[in-house]
Amino acid sequence: MTRQTPSDAALLHLRWVIGLTRLGLFAESFTRAFWPVWTIAFVVLAALMMGVQDHLPLEMIWIFGFLAAAAMAVFLVRGARQLRIPSRDMAIARLDATLPGRPIAALRDTPAVGKDDAASQALWQAHQTRMAAQTEGAKAVQPDLRISRLDPFGLRYTAILVLMIAFVGGSFSNLSSVRELGPGGGAALASGPTWEGWIEPPSYTGKPALYLNDQPAGKLVLPEGSRVLLRLYGEVGALTVAETVSGRLGAIESAAEPEQSFDVRQTGDLEIAGPGGAVWNIVMQDDRAPKVILSGQVEASGRGEMTLPFHASDDYGVVGGTAVVGLDLEGVTRQYGLRVDPEPREAVVVELPLPISGDRASFEETLIEDFSEHPWAHLAVTVTLTVEDDAGLEGQTGVLQFELPARRFFDPLAAAVIEMRRDLLWSRENGKRVAQVMRAVSHRPEDGVFRRETDYLRFRTILRRLEVNVSHGLSEEKRDELAEALWQLALNLEDGDLGSAAERLRQAQERLSEAMKNGASDAEIARLMQELREATEDYMRELARRQQENGEQGEDQQSAENSMQMSQDDLQRMMDRIQELMEEGRMAEAQQALEELQQLMENMRVTQGQGEQNQGEQAMEGLADTLREQQGLSDEAFRELQEQFNPGAQSGQSQENQGYSGGEGRGQAHDGTGGEGDGEGEGDGETGQSNGDEQGALEDRQQALRQELNRQMQNLPGQGTPEGDAAREALGQAEGAMEGAEDALREDDLATAIDRQAEAMDALRDGLRNLGEAMAQQQQQGQQGTAEAQGNAQDPLGRSQGNRGASGTDEGLLQGEDVYRQARRLLDEIRRRAGDAERSESERNYLERLLERF
């Protein structure tokens, strides 16, 4: 028995590795030889799975099939010639080349000399042993299947991509039709003539396609425009198609055509005559035209935007709509500058808002558009709403006639400027007349027509420019420039100089009085009432600041007793009474109350607090500011959410959102700027809005507000009492809700953020209520021994002096039945506002939470 040498053992150990390497070499040769064959096979298979053979003429199919078969035969022959079967020596050489020192070659070598020398043989055996050790970690060589050199254009990858598309969009069932392409129709001839049919309703109907072979003969209801596709197999003429549903005229293909298609345009019959045929009575379901109607009254918001609610419906869905606004010349009162014929002006076309998501088969929306700068503002117009569906059918409301809602100017001079601007835009022939009126208005400026010299100078500048252009021929471009200048002047006259608190208060009072005289809308009066509240608060803060600077706090007691004392709450109650009278339609009484308020504001002195605030009062005020700022952040988040679903409308403004800068008819600022905190946001609406925009992202402001609440919680009074502990627990819940709102804002989840912010506001209110109860209990305990001494510190009306702490008489203002009557009135008012659909969703949710709690 021969002794096994190290080389024999190593080669025996490598037999599987050598075999796999040899198989890899064969794969390389096979891939390089036959890659064009499987590339062509992939393309042909993908085409058949996509059903190309069902749409091309038979001749074209045969031509393409012959070319594909010929190409595959050529490449098969060429590949067979190029294919090489690798030998075992080739695999060993490939494997040995990957090992350091080529150990396999050394193992297969024999010594040339020293065969009979024992020392040489021992040395050779040691060398063989080392080489055998080198082969112990050998692994099969990976085959190199890259053929980019042979396929520089990547045709093989294109074939694979086409095949993947066929797997997704095609079907293996389409391969069955290949059998029918041969002579005699394959299985069709064996089983006799047969047919297949499909019905595809229009995609906008959302209805599924029908397999006609599965539909029982008889009545069949199909939507208008459904596509019918029929295929007849077998001998030509064995089956024929007869139909009266397409209404086709002119040249029509043969009734025995193997493939036929047509659309359902009318009710009729469909018959497949011949063996295995059937007859259907097709009832066409008409595609009705969409409908649109008004669902409410045309109104103007406090800022002048027109709100036009409408309801649209369609059997499948509305895809678009427009509102066409034209001038109703017959309804215009032709006087003053409107006596001349107007210049031709195209009708205004506005896109109707559609739901972003949900079903468009039936929906309600509101068209919000600002026509304040249009020449037809407040004039009679005709409006036609038109909606359209996918089939191109249209529905209209008919001609609607009303005065085009727009912003109203209550300053007399501003209203006159707007009227002159309208006359100038009506016709350039009014240029001379407008110049004459402007010259008459500015003839004697010292009579008090102009409150500021800058307004007078701007007015005269526009007048000179108008007169120069009229004398040389007023062009449309110059006319539009002058109209824009008049518009900006009117805005400045209406809004006034917002730098002076006293001037701002006086203008707010005058505009509100003028609005009541001219019969302004509820939204306009609410906006002006809010401006009056804000101007009054600014004026009182300004008075308090001046008193502190001038040292008026130290005047003698006699002077204080002879002057009228009025607190902030007294003013708020008077303005609430004025607004209540206006809402009830008692304009005369409201006008009288407004005049009384004006007289009081001229003669009043703001009552100043005695001493500094204690810790509890500071905490209450700070938490109130935090609640106000949280409300502002929630309102801004809600407006951004509205803008995502209705980009054409400005949330909060166009829909009279009362949370925007205090809203309309509200007494607090909720724009997130702190309201009365540090004075930021004071001034006009534009300034307040710009300040809010500069404060950074909502999530950053939410984080800062949460940190401020955490700081406030460190110094809360009432620790150890049940009320104080309840306040701390509620504020802790508010902080957690704020953190959740902050995370939602960073993830751009506005809906969740609004919910968390609502939870934070509820918790803040609970904390304020509990903290107030704790402070009241402490105050009651501290005042037991000093009740008599404090009883003398009252004003002539029996109220406690000072604007901090309890203010009122020794007895409750409401006694007996008055308490329940007042509570009932408040509940009724809350229910009325909660049911008002025009109010924002966030405010109505808050009112509903109030009703659930009380």
Side-chain angles (χ1 to χ4, degrees):
M1 183 176 180
T2 61
R3 179 182 177 185
Q4 189 178 31
T5 64
S7 61
D8 296 334
L11 292 177
L12 181 63
H13 172 70
L14 293 176
R15 64 182 184 277
W16 286 106
V17 178
I18 295 173
L20 292 176
T21 303
R22 185 178 182 185
L23 183 60
L25 291 175
F26 178 78
E28 292 179 5
S29 178
F30 184 85
T31 301
R32 293 188 179 95
F34 295 105
W35 72 267
V37 176
W38 54 258
T39 298
I40 297 174
F42 284 176
V43 173
V44 172
L45 179 60
L48 295 178
M49 291 179 63
M50 295 296 292
V52 174
Q53 68 278 10
D54 298 330
H55 299 280
L56 294 178
L58 185 60
E59 293 80 4
M60 295 293 297
I61 296 175
W62 277 104
I63 291 174
F64 287 133
F66 175 77
L67 293 177
M72 291 185 67
V74 170
F75 286 114
L76 280 172
V77 173
R78 193 189 72 169
R81 293 179 178 178
Q82 294 178 351
L83 183 64
R84 296 291 183 269
I85 306 299
S87 63
R88 187 172 184 274
D89 292 338
M90 295 173 62
I92 292 176
R94 169 68 70 85
L95 178 62
D96 196 23
T98 62
L99 299 176
R102 295 184 177 270
I104 300 179
L107 292 173
R108 301 178 69 185
D109 287 344
T110 56
V113 295
K115 292 182 179 181
D116 299 331
D117 186 6
S120 298
Q121 288 295 325
L123 180 61
W124 179 252
Q125 290 295 330
H127 175 66
Q128 290 273 316
T129 302
R130 286 196 299 268
M131 291 297 101
Q134 292 285 348
T135 62
E136 290 181 357
K139 295 182 180 180
V141 181
Q142 295 289 338
D144 184 8
L145 301 180
R146 292 174 297 178
I147 54 174
S148 55
R149 179 179 58 83
L150 302 176
D151 182 20
F153 299 104
L155 298 179
R156 63 193 186 283
Y157 297 130
T158 304
I160 295 175
L161 176 61
V162 172
L163 184 61
M164 293 176 63
I165 295 175
F167 278 123
V168 175
S171 175
F172 282 104
S173 61
N174 293 329
L175 299 177
S176 60
S177 60
V178 178
R179 296 175 299 176
E180 303 164 2
L181 300 178
L189 289 179
S191 60
T194 186
W195 57 273
E196 279 187 305
W198 297 266
I199 300 176
E200 299 178 356
S203 59
Y204 61 82
T205 63
K207 295 185 176 181
L210 302 177
Y211 187 53
L212 191 57
N213 299 62
D214 295 338
Q215 306 304 316
K219 183 178 179 181
L220 184 60
V221 180
L222 299 177
E224 181 180 0
S226 298
R227 186 74 173 174
V228 179
L229 177 63
L230 297 175
R231 290 177 182 167
L232 308 180
Y233 308 120
E235 184 180 355
V236 176
L239 295 174
T240 58
V241 177
E243 54 87 13
T244 58
V245 297
S246 65
R248 294 177 291 177
L249 300 175
I252 303 176
E253 66 271 11
S254 171
E257 188 73 19
E259 183 173 337
Q260 302 182 32
S261 62
F262 49 86
D263 296 335
V264 177
R265 296 300 179 187
Q266 62 187 17
T267 299
D269 296 329
L270 171 62
E271 179 183 2
I272 299 178
V279 179
W280 295 271
N281 179 22
I282 305 296
V283 178
M284 187 188 71
Q285 189 176 26
D286 294 333
D287 189 349
R288 296 186 299 272
K291 297 179 181 179
V292 57
I293 58 174
L294 290 184
S295 58
Q297 297 295 326
V298 181
E299 297 179 353
S301 68
R303 296 176 177 83
E305 297 97 341
M306 181 192 74
T307 58
L308 182 63
F310 65 92
H311 177 270
S313 61
D314 185 62
D315 44 4
Y316 298 114
V318 176
V319 298
T322 57
V324 180
V325 182
L327 179 64
D328 184 11
L329 195 57
E330 297 181 356
V332 176
T333 303
R334 306 293 294 276
Q335 60 181 1
Y336 307 120
L338 303 181
R339 289 184 178 179
V340 301
D341 293 334
E343 294 181 357
R345 190 177 294 271
E346 294 182 358
V348 181
V349 180
V350 182
E351 295 291 333
L352 293 180
L354 300 177
I356 301 298
S357 60
D359 188 12
R360 292 187 178 180
S362 179
F363 63 90
E364 287 190 6
E365 278 288 347
T366 300
L367 172 63
I368 302 174
E369 198 70 25
D370 190 356
F371 293 102
S372 299
E373 298 186 47
H374 199 276
W376 298 340
H378 300 297
L379 296 181
V381 295
T382 60
V383 178
T384 303
L385 302 184
T386 304
V387 293
E388 183 181 0
D389 62 5
D390 277 287
L393 302 177
E394 294 183 348
Q396 295 183 345
T397 58
V399 179
L400 308 174
Q401 296 178 329
F402 51 82
E403 290 188 358
L404 188 62
R407 174 173 178 170
R408 299 182 63 179
F409 290 80
F410 300 103
D411 182 87
L413 182 57
V417 171
I418 288 298
E419 184 175 348
M420 288 183 279
R421 175 183 179 272
R422 180 204 64 188
D423 294 344
L424 189 62
L425 291 173
W426 180 265
S427 175
R428 282 174 287 174
E429 296 181 11
N430 287 326
K432 184 176 181 181
R433 176 184 178 277
V434 171
Q436 292 175 348
V437 174
M438 293 182 67
R439 184 166 292 279
V441 170
S442 60
H443 174 56
R444 301 185 65 177
E446 64 275 6
D447 291 343
V449 178
F450 296 90
R451 291 189 294 268
R452 295 177 298 275
E453 183 179 357
T454 54
D455 295 337
Y456 170 73
L457 295 177
R458 291 180 63 183
F459 191 91
R460 295 291 294 185
T461 301
I462 298 174
L463 171 59
R464 287 193 294 270
R465 291 174 57 192
L466 177 60
E467 290 178 339
V468 170
N469 283 279
V470 168
S471 61
H472 292 84
L474 184 60
S475 64
E476 291 186 7
E477 181 180 359
K478 294 297 182 182
R479 187 267 314 274
D480 294 340
E481 291 180 2
L482 292 170
E484 178 62 24
L486 288 172
W487 175 260
Q488 296 299 329
L489 176 60
L491 291 178
N492 189 66
L493 292 170
E494 178 73 11
D495 296 336
D497 184 8
L498 300 180
S500 171
E503 177 68 15
R504 191 159 57 251
L505 176 60
R506 185 184 64 80
Q507 291 185 11
Q509 293 171 346
E510 290 180 358
R511 285 199 296 269
L512 181 58
S513 178
E514 192 71 20
M516 288 190 290
K517 293 178 182 178
N518 297 337
S521 65
D522 294 340
E524 292 171 333
I525 290 179
R527 177 176 62 86
L528 295 174
M529 193 67 202
Q530 177 62 23
E531 292 180 2
L532 177 60
R533 292 178 186 272
E534 296 174 356
T536 303
E537 294 175 1
D538 294 341
Y539 179 65
M540 294 187 68
R541 283 196 296 267
E542 181 67 18
L543 281 181
R545 184 185 63 80
R546 291 180 181 179
Q547 287 179 352
Q548 292 177 359
E549 292 177 355
N550 298 334
E552 295 183 7
Q553 294 283 346
E555 293 185 356
D556 56 12
Q557 181 68 21
Q558 182 67 27
S559 175
E561 291 178 357
N562 294 333
S563 61
M564 179 176 295
Q565 300 287 333
M566 179 170 290
S567 67
Q568 182 82 14
D569 293 336
D570 297 330
L571 289 177
Q572 291 295 339
R573 282 194 292 270
M574 293 186 67
M575 285 186 285
D576 290 341
R577 178 59 177 168
I578 294 173
Q579 185 170 1
E580 181 179 355
L581 291 173
M582 289 188 297
E583 291 176 353
E584 294 175 358
R586 300 155 65 180
M587 292 299 177
E589 298 180 30
Q591 182 71 29
Q592 182 179 359
L594 180 61
E595 293 175 358
E596 294 176 359
L597 177 62
Q598 292 174 348
Q599 295 176 1
L600 289 174
M601 293 297 295
E602 292 174 359
N603 301 311
M604 64 171 250
R605 291 184 50 192
V606 179
T607 59
Q608 299 298 322
Q610 302 295 329
E612 298 181 354
Q613 294 177 324
N614 58 37
Q615 181 182 4
E617 292 173 343
Q618 293 177 355
M620 289 288 290
E621 185 174 352
L623 291 176
D625 291 340
T626 301
L627 175 59
R628 217 166 18 243
E629 293 182 12
Q630 182 61 76
Q631 178 67 58
L633 290 176
S634 179
D635 292 340
E636 292 189 28
F638 180 73
R639 287 196 300 275
E640 289 191 10
L641 182 62
Q642 284 182 313
E643 291 173 359
Q644 289 183 3
F645 293 98
N646 193 3
Q650 295 180 357
S651 302
Q653 297 183 30
S654 59
Q655 299 182 12
E656 304 181 29
N657 181 4
Q658 295 192 6
Y660 182 75
S661 294
E664 298 173 355
R666 296 279 295 273
Q668 302 258 353
H670 295 307
D671 56 358
T673 60
E676 299 178 2
D678 54 4
E680 294 181 6
E682 296 178 8
D684 60 344
E686 295 176 0
T687 304
Q689 186 175 354
S690 64
N691 289 343
D693 293 340
E694 294 172 359
Q695 291 181 1
L698 288 177
E699 56 269 21
D700 296 334
R701 293 162 60 190
Q702 184 68 70
Q703 180 183 8
L705 188 61
R706 177 177 59 82
Q707 294 173 351
E708 174 63 18
L709 176 61
N710 183 270
R711 185 192 65 79
Q712 293 171 351
M713 292 171 58
Q714 307 303 322
N715 300 318
L716 289 181
Q719 186 174 4
T721 63
E723 294 81 2
D725 295 340
R728 285 175 170 78
E729 182 179 358
L731 295 179
Q733 295 175 359
E735 183 181 8
M738 287 182 179
E739 184 176 3
E742 177 188 340
D743 296 338
L745 288 172
R746 295 191 186 280
E747 297 174 0
D748 200 20
D749 188 359
L750 293 176
T752 302
I754 292 173
D755 292 339
R756 299 293 83 76
Q757 288 171 339
E759 295 175 2
M761 288 185 288
D762 289 340
L764 282 172
R765 294 187 186 96
D766 294 340
L768 279 169
R769 184 172 60 254
N770 294 328
L771 184 59
E773 294 175 357
M775 291 177 58
Q777 184 175 1
Q778 291 181 355
Q779 185 178 8
Q780 183 179 3
Q781 295 175 356
Q783 290 181 350
Q784 289 179 354
T786 59
E788 296 181 359
Q790 291 183 352
N792 297 327
Q794 296 177 346
D795 64 5
L797 297 179
R799 299 172 299 183
S800 299
Q801 294 188 10
N803 58 357
R804 299 293 179 187
S807 176
T809 63
D810 291 338
E811 297 179 354
L813 293 178
L814 296 177
Q815 296 292 335
E817 296 180 355
D818 290 343
V819 178
Y820 301 100
R821 185 166 59 252
Q822 177 74 355
R824 173 58 58 186
R825 188 182 69 83
L826 290 175
L827 284 175
D828 292 342
E829 179 63 16
I830 293 175
R831 290 192 182 96
R832 185 187 68 80
R833 295 192 180 189
D836 189 357
E838 295 183 357
R839 297 183 182 273
S840 64
E841 184 178 357
S842 60
E843 182 184 3
R844 285 188 279 113
N845 291 338
Y846 169 69
L847 294 174
E848 289 174 0
R849 290 196 297 270
L850 284 179
L851 291 175
E852 292 175 358
R853 177 165 298 179
F854 300 102

